[in-house]
Amino acid sequence: MAVAATSKDSPAPSTLSREDRNRQLALHHARLIQIRKDIESLILTSTETLLDLPTSPTASPSEPSSADIKTVKESLRPFQPSDYDALVEERNIDHKCGYVLCRRENRRQNRRSNYRIITGTGDAKGSNLKVVEPKELERWCSDECGKMALYIRVQLSEEPAWMRDWQTNEPLELYGEIERKAQVHNGNSPVPRVAMKPDVSDAQQTLAIRMKDLAVERGDRSNTAKASARVAVHVRENDQKEQISPLPPSTENTHSGSIEGYIPIGIPLTKQEFDQHVDVEDDMMPTI
C-alpha cells in the first residue's frame, strides 16, 4: 500500500489530534458523496441521450449503426439493472419500444384485464401457458426486441458505480453482435447461429439457474418429465363371493325405551323386572 509522504508542515496521522482526525474523516465522506452525486448526474444525462436513440429514423434494431452502438456501450457503463429499468420505463412513457436501438412504438394492451395469458413459442397444445401483466407486454414492440433488451440487462452490475471501477469494465455486448462481425469478416456469408453463439457470462448463468429454480417452484416441467412422472391408476371393484342380505325387521318390543341397553330412570318397568330389581336391593342391604 502506498503511503503519502508527510512534510514537516503536515503532521503524521498518529500525531494528529482528535479534531483533525474527525475533520479528515468528514472530508473523506464528503468526497464520496460528491462522487456519488457526479455519477448519478452522469446516469441521468446518459438516460436523456439514450431516449433519443436511434439517431436514424430508418434504423433497424437488428442492424444498428456503429455510432449508435458505441453510444449505447459507453452510456450504459455506470448503469445498474434498476437504472436500466428506469430507462425502459421512460421510453415507454414516450410511446417508444424499451430497446434503446429500436425506433418503433411499444405494444398497447387492453388494460381492462389485470392479467394476460400467453403461450410459449411453438406451443400448439397450450401446455406452456404463462400469466403476465399487460404492462410487461407493453415494454417492447415485439418479443425479439424484448430478448435483445434483456440480453443487455443481464450484463449490468448490481454494484453501484461509485463502489466499483466502472470506467474499466468490459464493454457490453449486444445480442447477435458476434454473428454480425463474423458475417462482415467472411464477406456477408451466412454463419450458423449455434456456431457463433457467444460465451455465456456468469450473470447469465446465474439468471438461468434462478429461472430454472423458479420454474421448479411453480411446478413447470417439460412434456417428457410430465409423461415420465405419471402414475398408471387402475380402478377395480372388490369381488363379493357371497351375497349379504339385510336382517328382517323384528316385531318383538324389547325395552323400547332403552338407550344402548340402558334403561334410564323414569321409564316404567315390567312386573318381572321390578321384582328382580327389588331382589337385588334386598341382597345388598346386609352389606351396607
Side-chain angles (χ1 to χ4, degrees):
M1 180 183 296
V3 179
T6 58
S7 61
K8 296 181 179 180
D9 298 335
S10 58
S14 58
T15 60
L16 293 175
S17 63
R18 181 177 180 180
E19 182 178 354
D20 293 335
R21 290 197 301 270
N22 292 339
R23 183 183 297 107
Q24 287 188 357
L25 182 61
L27 291 174
H28 172 71
H29 286 286
R31 284 192 291 269
L32 293 179
I33 294 174
Q34 185 61 42
I35 292 174
R36 178 173 179 175
K37 291 177 61 177
D38 294 341
I39 293 179
E40 290 178 348
S41 178
L42 176 62
I43 293 175
L44 179 59
T45 304
S46 300
T47 301
E48 294 175 352
T49 302
L50 296 174
L51 286 175
D52 297 331
L53 291 184
T55 55
S56 175
T58 59
S60 173
S62 58
E63 298 179 358
S65 63
S66 57
D68 290 347
I69 293 177
K70 182 179 180 180
T71 301
V72 170
K73 290 185 176 182
E74 292 297 328
S75 300
L76 292 178
R77 279 181 177 270
F79 274 54
Q80 295 177 252
S82 57
D83 301 323
Y84 188 77
D85 294 339
L87 169 63
V88 173
E89 185 176 357
E90 289 292 336
R91 289 181 62 90
N92 294 155
I93 293 175
D94 200 20
H95 303 296
K96 294 181 179 180
C97 176
Y99 183 48
V100 292
L101 293 174
C102 181
R103 61 179 179 82
R104 295 188 289 263
E105 294 185 359
N106 59 328
R107 290 179 291 198
R108 308 293 177 84
Q109 298 293 323
N110 184 6
R111 288 300 187 95
R112 289 182 296 180
S113 58
N114 296 329
Y115 299 96
R116 293 290 304 275
I117 300 176
I118 59 176
T119 58
T121 305
D123 187 8
K125 297 183 179 180
S127 59
N128 191 21
L129 297 178
K130 295 181 180 179
V131 180
V132 297
E133 297 182 3
K135 65 179 182 180
E136 293 296 329
L137 300 176
E138 292 180 347
R139 301 180 70 185
W140 332 106
C141 66
S142 62
D143 295 339
E144 188 68 20
C145 278
K147 184 188 303 181
M148 292 187 288
L150 295 178
Y151 188 83
I152 296 177
R153 189 184 187 277
V154 297
Q155 301 178 61
L156 300 177
S157 176
E158 294 282 354
E159 189 177 10
W162 56 85
M163 298 180 63
R164 55 183 168 90
D165 191 5
W166 61 272
Q167 295 180 343
T168 59
N169 289 348
E170 295 184 2
L172 298 176
E173 182 182 288
L174 301 183
Y175 184 81
E177 184 176 6
I178 294 182
E179 296 181 8
R180 289 193 295 268
K181 290 181 179 179
Q183 289 177 0
V184 173
H185 183 267
N186 297 335
N188 295 329
S189 60
V191 180
R193 178 177 293 271
V194 178
M196 300 308 301
K197 185 177 181 180
D199 296 335
V200 180
S201 61
D202 295 340
Q204 291 174 274
Q205 291 180 354
T206 304
L207 178 62
I209 293 174
R210 290 179 179 176
M211 295 300 294
K212 186 177 180 180
D213 294 340
L214 181 60
V216 173
E217 292 179 3
R218 291 200 307 258
D220 297 343
R221 295 180 295 179
S222 61
N223 295 332
T224 305
K226 289 181 179 179
S228 61
R230 292 175 181 173
V231 179
V233 179
H234 302 282
V235 180
R236 185 180 62 182
E237 297 183 358
N238 294 332
D239 297 333
Q240 295 184 357
K241 298 181 179 180
E242 57 182 10
Q243 188 70 21
I244 301 176
S245 58
L247 297 176
S250 176
T251 57
E252 183 180 359
N253 184 8
T254 58
H255 305 299
S256 60
S258 63
I259 300 175
E260 297 183 357
Y262 172 76
I263 303 176
I265 299 175
I267 297 179
L269 304 177
T270 61
K271 183 177 184 304
Q272 182 179 1
E273 292 173 347
F274 178 77
D275 295 339
Q276 293 177 357
H277 183 68
V278 171
D279 293 342
V280 171
E281 289 183 351
D282 293 342
D283 294 339
M284 294 178 62
M285 286 299 295
T287 59
I288 300 176

